[in-house]
Amino acid sequence: MLATVLFTDIVDSSARAAAAGDREWRGMREQHDAITRASIARYRGREVKTLGDGFLVTFDAPARGVRCAQEIAGSVRALGIDVRAGLHIGEIETDGSDITGIAVAIAARVSALAGAGEVLVSGTIKDLTVGSGISFDDRGTHELKGIPDRWRLYGAS
């Protein structure tokens, strides 16, 4: 099926956990998770799973996915946390409650290239959100590990 795939990740989570201590970090993570889940629900996403200190989410529309990622990144800053987020849209396979496929791998690679507080998207997402009011800044072309070709990426602003 066709889906917008979002990966989020807390930036420098191990260092943050070590500095804060287990109890304080657990509390921050619980707040982060609650904020993230509220945004996912508001934008009608589907939480596929958590991945350590991040989330894998799907949406049936790319603009909702981008706006959700922007809201998460902005909201968790109040906790002193930065997240990186990456999105791509493509065909995915379902494997029970999990998802697989090249589109999932591309979204993961895009997310890995995002900076602190950044929502990075593939050109496919940018092209499909024309008219949505979302602005993008060109981040150039990149090789995505294990993915053929070079990919133009954009920061959602």
Side-chain angles (χ1 to χ4, degrees), residues 92-126:
I92 63 169
E93 298 288 328
T94 57
D95 183 9
S97 61
D98 203 358
I99 60 172
T100 63
I102 194 70
V104 178
I106 292 168
R109 299 297 188 256
V110 171
S111 178
L113 293 173
E118 184 175 35
V119 176
L120 198 62
V121 306
S122 68
T124 312
I125 292 281
K126 178 189 172 288

Coordinates of all heavy atoms in Angstrom, one line a residue, residues 92-126:
I92 N 4.6 0.4 0.7 CA 5.2 -0.4 1.8 C 4.5 -1.7 1.8 O 3.4 -1.9 1.3 CB 5.0 0.3 3.1 CG1 3.5 0.5 3.5 CG2 5.7 1.7 3.2 CD1 3.2 1.0 4.9
E93 N 5.1 -2.7 2.5 CA 4.5 -4.0 2.8 C 4.2 -4.0 4.2 O 4.9 -3.5 5.1 CB 5.6 -5.1 2.4 CG 6.0 -5.1 1.0 CD 4.9 -5.6 0.1 OE1 4.1 -6.5 0.5 OE2 4.8 -5.2 -1.1
T94 N 3.1 -4.7 4.6 CA 2.8 -4.9 6.0 C 3.3 -6.3 6.3 O 3.2 -7.3 5.6 CB 1.3 -4.8 6.3 OG1 0.6 -5.6 5.4 CG2 0.9 -3.3 6.0
D95 N 3.8 -6.4 7.5 CA 4.3 -7.7 8.1 C 3.7 -7.8 9.5 O 4.4 -7.4 10.4 CB 5.8 -7.7 8.1 CG 6.4 -9.0 8.5 OD1 5.7 -10.0 8.7 OD2 7.6 -9.0 8.7
G96 N 2.5 -8.3 9.6 CA 1.8 -8.3 10.9 C 1.5 -6.8 11.2 O 0.9 -6.1 10.4
S97 N 1.9 -6.3 12.3 CA 1.7 -4.9 12.7 C 2.9 -4.1 12.3 O 2.8 -2.8 12.4 CB 1.5 -4.8 14.2 OG 2.6 -5.2 14.9
D98 N 3.9 -4.7 11.7 CA 5.1 -3.9 11.3 C 5.0 -3.6 9.8 O 4.1 -4.1 9.1 CB 6.4 -4.8 11.5 CG 7.6 -4.0 11.7 OD1 7.6 -2.7 11.5 OD2 8.7 -4.6 11.9
I99 N 5.9 -2.7 9.3 CA 6.0 -2.4 7.9 C 7.4 -2.6 7.4 O 8.4 -2.5 8.1 CB 5.5 -1.0 7.6 CG1 6.4 0.1 8.3 CG2 4.1 -0.8 8.0 CD1 6.1 1.5 7.9
T100 N 7.5 -2.9 6.1 CA 8.8 -3.1 5.5 C 8.8 -2.6 4.1 O 7.7 -2.1 3.6 CB 9.1 -4.7 5.4 OG1 8.2 -5.3 4.5 CG2 9.2 -5.3 6.7
G101 N 9.9 -2.6 3.4 CA 10.0 -2.2 2.0 C 11.0 -1.0 1.8 O 11.5 -0.4 2.8
I102 N 11.3 -0.8 0.6 CA 12.3 0.2 0.3 C 11.9 1.6 0.7 O 12.7 2.4 1.1 CB 12.6 0.2 -1.3 CG1 13.9 1.0 -1.6 CG2 11.5 0.7 -2.1 CD1 15.2 0.3 -1.0
A103 N 10.6 1.9 0.7 CA 10.1 3.2 1.2 C 10.5 3.4 2.6 O 10.8 4.5 3.1 CB 8.7 3.4 0.9
V104 N 10.4 2.4 3.4 CA 10.7 2.4 4.8 C 12.2 2.7 5.0 O 12.6 3.5 5.8 CB 10.2 1.2 5.6 CG1 10.6 1.2 7.0 CG2 8.8 0.9 5.4
A105 N 13.0 2.0 4.2 CA 14.4 2.2 4.3 C 14.8 3.6 3.9 O 15.7 4.2 4.5 CB 15.1 1.2 3.4
I106 N 14.2 4.1 2.9 CA 14.5 5.5 2.4 C 14.2 6.5 3.5 O 14.9 7.4 3.9 CB 13.8 5.8 1.1 CG1 14.4 5.0 0.0 CG2 13.9 7.3 0.8 CD1 13.5 5.0 -1.3
A107 N 13.0 6.4 4.1 CA 12.6 7.3 5.2 C 13.6 7.2 6.4 O 14.0 8.2 7.0 CB 11.2 6.9 5.7
A108 N 14.1 6.0 6.7 CA 15.1 5.8 7.8 C 16.4 6.5 7.4 O 17.0 7.2 8.3 CB 15.3 4.4 8.0
R109 N 16.8 6.4 6.2 CA 18.1 7.1 5.8 C 17.9 8.6 5.8 O 18.8 9.3 6.1 CB 18.5 6.6 4.4 CG 18.7 5.1 4.2 CD 19.9 4.7 5.1 NE 20.3 3.3 4.8 CZ 20.0 2.3 5.6 NH1 19.3 2.5 6.7 NH2 20.4 1.1 5.3
V110 N 16.7 9.1 5.3 CA 16.5 10.5 5.3 C 16.5 11.0 6.8 O 17.2 12.1 7.1 CB 15.1 10.8 4.6 CG1 14.8 12.3 4.9 CG2 15.2 10.5 3.2
S111 N 15.9 10.3 7.7 CA 15.9 10.7 9.1 C 17.3 10.8 9.7 O 17.6 11.7 10.4 CB 15.0 9.8 9.9 OG 15.0 10.1 11.2
A112 N 18.1 9.8 9.3 CA 19.5 9.8 9.8 C 20.3 11.0 9.4 O 21.2 11.4 10.1 CB 20.1 8.5 9.4
L113 N 19.9 11.6 8.3 CA 20.6 12.8 7.8 C 20.1 14.1 8.4 O 20.7 15.2 8.2 CB 20.6 12.9 6.3 CG 21.3 11.8 5.6 CD1 21.1 11.8 4.1 CD2 22.8 11.8 5.8
A114 N 19.0 14.1 9.1 CA 18.4 15.3 9.6 C 19.2 15.8 10.8 O 19.8 15.0 11.6 CB 16.9 15.0 10.0
G115 N 19.3 17.1 10.9 CA 19.9 17.7 12.1 C 19.0 17.8 13.3 O 17.8 17.5 13.2
A116 N 19.5 18.3 14.4 CA 18.7 18.5 15.6 C 17.6 19.5 15.3 O 17.8 20.6 14.8 CB 19.6 19.1 16.7
G117 N 16.4 19.0 15.6 CA 15.2 19.9 15.4 C 14.7 20.0 14.0 O 13.8 20.7 13.7
E118 N 15.3 19.2 13.1 CA 15.0 19.3 11.7 C 14.0 18.3 11.2 O 14.1 17.1 11.6 CB 16.3 19.2 10.8 CG 16.1 19.4 9.4 CD 17.4 19.4 8.6 OE1 18.3 18.7 8.9 OE2 17.4 20.2 7.6
V119 N 13.2 18.7 10.3 CA 12.3 17.7 9.6 C 12.8 17.7 8.2 O 12.6 18.7 7.4 CB 10.8 18.2 9.7 CG1 9.9 17.3 8.9 CG2 10.3 18.3 11.1
L120 N 13.3 16.6 7.8 CA 13.9 16.4 6.5 C 13.0 15.5 5.7 O 12.6 14.5 6.2 CB 15.3 15.8 6.6 CG 16.3 15.9 5.5 CD1 16.6 17.4 5.1 CD2 17.6 15.2 5.8
V121 N 12.8 15.8 4.4 CA 11.9 15.1 3.6 C 12.6 14.8 2.2 O 13.4 15.5 1.8 CB 10.5 15.8 3.3 CG1 9.9 16.1 4.7 CG2 10.7 17.0 2.4
S122 N 12.1 13.7 1.6 CA 12.5 13.4 0.2 C 11.8 14.3 -0.8 O 10.8 15.0 -0.4 CB 12.1 11.9 -0.1 OG 10.7 11.8 -0.2
G123 N 12.4 14.4 -1.9 CA 11.8 15.2 -3.0 C 10.4 14.8 -3.3 O 9.5 15.6 -3.8
T124 N 10.1 13.5 -3.2 CA 8.8 13.0 -3.4 C 7.7 13.6 -2.5 O 6.7 14.0 -2.9 CB 8.8 11.4 -3.3 OG1 9.9 10.9 -3.9 CG2 7.5 10.8 -3.8
I125 N 8.1 13.7 -1.2 CA 7.2 14.4 -0.3 C 7.0 15.8 -0.7 O 5.8 16.3 -0.7 CB 7.8 14.3 1.2 CG1 7.7 12.9 1.7 CG2 7.0 15.3 2.1 CD1 6.4 12.4 2.2
K126 N 8.1 16.5 -1.0 CA 8.0 17.9 -1.4 C 7.0 18.1 -2.6 O 6.1 18.9 -2.6 CB 9.3 18.5 -1.7 CG 9.3 19.9 -2.2 CD 10.6 20.4 -2.7 CE 10.6 21.7 -3.4 NZ 9.9 21.8 -4.7

